Amino acid sequence: MKVLVINCGSSSLKYQLIDSETEEALATGLCERIGIDGRLVYQPAGCDKIKTDLAMPTHNEAIQFVLDALTNADNGVIKSLDEVGAIGHRIVHGGEKFTKSVVITDEVIAAIEECNDLAPLHNPANLIGVRTCQKLMPGKPNVAVFDTAFHQTMPAKAFTYGLPYEYYEKYAVRRYGFHGTSHDFVSHRAAEIVGKPYEDLKIIVAHLGNGASISAIKDGKCQDTSMGLTPLEGLVMGTRSGDIDPSIMEFIAKKENLDIAGIMNVLNKQSGVQGISQLSSDFRDLEEGANAGNDKAQLAMEVFAYRVAKYIGSYVAALNGVDVIAFTAGIGENAPTIRKMVLGYLGYLGISVNEEENGKRGDELLISTADSKVKVYVIPTNEELAICRATVALV
């Protein structure tokens, strides 16, 4: 079966067409600047990217251009849309309503809409993609794969905040966690690599990208994760603050004469390593700056690595041990310096770094030495493939 994977943002759309039998991506790409002017990026497997400026006033036009590209006589990868067996959609927030992926029905759409206030920027855009695919490819099954579903196995002691309990009862205020498809994919792959049953392992996954989160898995279930009600909680990230003293919001609001929207903009878009370094949210820029003597760039990297190590350490305690630690996502896969900085705090676990292997980027790697008591891997994530697998399992 060929599965079209769709990830809709408010003004962008990422896509892949995957052959589920070989698990190979036949084509990948991106529609960007939807509602502004529009650009289609299309890359058939083994070929260069093709970029085309096209008017995309809505997601309808964007998805139609994707379908046209996939079936194009010159560089398309399928002859007709009849070859597409199903469409898998990334849905950011499923609240407590969805603990696993589901085939999309009118009832499912209504339930997702009820979660919109938990992810107001993401869920409505995700549903635009669903409705557009239903319109342009009638009769094709659509599947919702939720960022939050993997973390729904967390016990109440892990997801409950120290707030009046009525806020949970009335408004579902609790920890949900995100990047679930990545944590699911990478943790299962870690079990495959070590050759042990998933249910018998204690695994910590560090998904480190511009958005970053850590999860703790035991008995085949997620026990805890660093992001919360929203993706703002947890690690210091590219532009997000991560954990802070809540009173800082009031303090800065008074000093800078900001309302709540202004404060949230600071926390989400002006903070993190970009805010600390006053240079960039890109770790390549930070490392280059640090090597050139930029103290703030060096500090930003140190703060990031320290927070990652603290969370890993806390999850070792939560799991009462750890068998495997896996780094993934853009930074986790491609920043040897950051990995080494993080692991430098974990010597008490009996971890030593294999410098040669850790110096590599982007591959599936064992970066701990043979005599380390805990295995540490770099495992490239593949959220699109995870969505494809979930879609095939249902349809």
Side-chain angles (χ1 to χ4, degrees):
M1 178 189 294
K2 294 180 178 66
V3 177
L4 178 60
V5 175
I6 296 288
N7 180 356
C8 256
S10 58
S11 62
S12 66
L13 182 156
K14 296 178 183 178
Y15 65 91
Q16 284 194 18
L17 183 67
I18 299 174
D19 185 329
S20 65
E21 294 184 10
T22 63
E23 297 196 333
E24 293 181 359
L26 304 176
T28 63
L30 169 71
C31 294
E32 51 191 351
R33 298 177 63 82
I34 299 171
I36 303 172
D37 42 29
R39 170 175 288 185
L40 171 70
V41 180
Y42 172 67
Q43 185 172 22
C47 301
D48 294 333
K49 290 180 180 179
I50 302 169
K51 298 181 181 181
T52 310
D53 292 329
L54 296 163
M56 297 179 190
T58 71
H59 287 74
N60 280 316
E61 290 82 10
I63 292 180
Q64 184 64 68
F65 289 137
V66 170
L67 301 181
D68 291 344
L70 294 172
T71 56
N72 185 285
D74 294 328
N75 45 44
V77 293
I78 54 176
K79 292 182 180 179
S80 76
L81 295 179
D82 293 338
E83 295 183 44
V84 177
I87 304 100
H89 297 266
R90 178 204 180 205
I91 307 293
V92 167
H93 218 305
E96 292 186 313
K97 300 176 185 296
F98 298 100
T99 61
K100 57 185 178 181
S101 303
V102 294
V103 175
I104 296 174
T105 62
D106 290 343
E107 291 75 18
V108 167
I109 289 177
I112 293 172
E113 288 177 329
E114 291 176 9
C115 301
N116 281 1
D117 59 345
L118 294 172
L121 297 179
H122 295 90
N123 270 25
N126 300 155
L127 287 175
I128 289 172
V130 171
R131 292 190 173 100
T132 301
C133 286
Q134 289 177 327
K135 177 182 177 181
L136 296 178
M137 291 181 282
K140 300 284 186 183
N142 288 262
V143 170
V145 181
F146 299 91
D147 270 14
T148 50
F150 177 71
H151 305 300
Q152 282 296 298
T153 56
M154 284 189 293
K157 64 183 179 183
F159 70 67
T160 302
Y161 285 121
L163 295 169
Y165 196 73
E166 64 188 270
Y167 295 154
Y168 170 60
E169 295 176 309
K170 291 163 63 175
Y171 311 120
V173 174
R174 51 158 285 180
R175 181 186 312 283
Y176 288 99
F178 299 88
H179 298 139
T181 52
S182 176
H183 288 287
D184 189 2
F185 179 89
V186 171
S187 59
H188 276 90
R189 179 58 188 148
E192 291 175 2
I193 293 171
V194 301
K196 294 183 179 180
Y198 187 61
E199 296 76 13
D200 293 346
L201 290 169
K202 299 174 182 178
I203 304 170
I204 294 174
V205 176
H207 176 107
L208 307 181
N210 191 54
S213 63
I214 298 180
S215 65
I217 298 104
K218 180 183 178 182
D219 300 328
K221 298 177 181 179
C222 178
Q223 304 294 324
D224 206 345
T225 191
S226 58
M227 284 182 167
L229 176 75
T230 75
L232 182 57
E233 186 180 1
L235 303 176
V236 172
M237 305 178 216
T239 62
R240 295 181 184 132
S241 66
D243 298 338
I244 63 166
D245 177 348
S247 294
I248 292 174
M249 298 173 67
E250 180 187 24
F251 182 83
I252 297 298
K254 290 179 178 178
K255 295 292 186 181
E256 296 287 327
N257 193 29
L258 294 172
D259 59 12
I260 189 65
I263 284 292
M264 295 311 295
N265 184 64
V266 171
L267 297 181
N268 276 295
K269 298 181 180 180
Q270 299 176 30
S271 300
V273 295
Q274 177 173 290
I276 296 169
S277 69
Q278 299 181 319
L279 174 66
S280 176
S281 62
D282 191 312
F283 276 73
R284 292 168 294 189
D285 297 335
L286 296 181
E287 189 165 357
E288 182 179 340
N291 291 337
N294 185 321
D295 292 340
K296 290 179 181 175
Q298 180 65 35
L299 176 61
M301 294 171 62
E302 290 176 355
V303 168
F304 178 83
Y306 181 64
R307 182 70 63 87
V308 172
K310 282 177 65 177
Y311 259 98
I312 291 175
S314 69
Y315 287 167
V316 172
L319 298 177
N320 196 15
V322 62
D323 300 306
V324 179
I325 297 171
F327 290 92
T328 194
I331 299 165
E333 295 169 29
N334 298 293
T337 301
I338 293 295
R339 295 195 299 253
K340 183 177 179 180
M341 290 170 70
V342 171
L343 293 176
Y345 291 102
L346 305 179
Y348 70 96
L349 295 174
I351 295 173
S352 298
V353 179
N354 182 323
E355 298 286 356
E356 181 178 353
E357 289 300 298
N358 186 55
K360 300 176 182 177
R361 298 172 185 265
D363 296 322
E364 199 168 82
L365 305 165
L366 174 63
I367 60 172
S368 54
T369 57
D371 60 349
S372 292
K373 295 181 180 179
V374 176
K375 293 185 180 297
V376 182
Y377 288 94
V378 176
I379 301 177
T381 191
N382 193 331
E383 294 177 82
E384 289 77 15
L385 179 56
I387 293 171
C388 172
R389 287 174 174 172
T391 300
V392 171
L394 285 170
V395 305

PDB file of all heavy atoms in Angstrom, residues 23 35 156 208 253:
ATOM      1  N   GLU A  23       8.745   0.443   2.950  1.00  0.00           N
ATOM      2  CA  GLU A  23       8.933   1.567   3.884  1.00  0.00           C
ATOM      3  C   GLU A  23       9.880   2.612   3.321  1.00  0.00           C
ATOM      4  O   GLU A  23      10.575   3.308   4.065  1.00  0.00           O
ATOM      5  CB  GLU A  23       9.382   1.073   5.266  1.00  0.00           C
ATOM      6  CG  GLU A  23       8.345   0.186   5.942  1.00  0.00           C
ATOM      7  CD  GLU A  23       8.551  -0.005   7.422  1.00  0.00           C
ATOM      8  OE1 GLU A  23       9.713   0.100   7.871  1.00  0.00           O
ATOM      9  OE2 GLU A  23       7.563  -0.252   8.137  1.00  0.00           O
ATOM     10  N   GLY A  35      -1.501  30.950   1.721  1.00  0.00           N
ATOM     11  CA  GLY A  35      -2.253  32.134   2.094  1.00  0.00           C
ATOM     12  C   GLY A  35      -1.503  33.426   1.877  1.00  0.00           C
ATOM     13  O   GLY A  35      -2.064  34.510   2.065  1.00  0.00           O
ATOM     14  N   ALA A 156      -1.128   9.012  36.852  1.00  0.00           N
ATOM     15  CA  ALA A 156      -1.619  10.303  37.343  1.00  0.00           C
ATOM     16  C   ALA A 156      -0.548  11.069  38.112  1.00  0.00           C
ATOM     17  O   ALA A 156      -0.485  12.295  38.053  1.00  0.00           O
ATOM     18  CB  ALA A 156      -2.853  10.094  38.221  1.00  0.00           C
ATOM     19  N   LEU A 208      15.846  15.927  20.536  1.00  0.00           N
ATOM     20  CA  LEU A 208      16.456  17.251  20.649  1.00  0.00           C
ATOM     21  C   LEU A 208      16.483  17.934  19.298  1.00  0.00           C
ATOM     22  O   LEU A 208      17.280  17.603  18.422  1.00  0.00           O
ATOM     23  CB  LEU A 208      17.882  17.129  21.210  1.00  0.00           C
ATOM     24  CG  LEU A 208      18.035  16.338  22.516  1.00  0.00           C
ATOM     25  CD1 LEU A 208      19.491  16.330  22.954  1.00  0.00           C
ATOM     26  CD2 LEU A 208      17.130  16.890  23.605  1.00  0.00           C
ATOM     27  N   ALA A 253       6.458  41.286  33.133  1.00  0.00           N
ATOM     28  CA  ALA A 253       5.310  42.029  32.604  1.00  0.00           C
ATOM     29  C   ALA A 253       5.270  43.452  33.153  1.00  0.00           C
ATOM     30  O   ALA A 253       5.020  44.418  32.424  1.00  0.00           O
ATOM     31  CB  ALA A 253       4.013  41.290  32.934  1.00  0.00           C
TER      32      ALA A 253
END
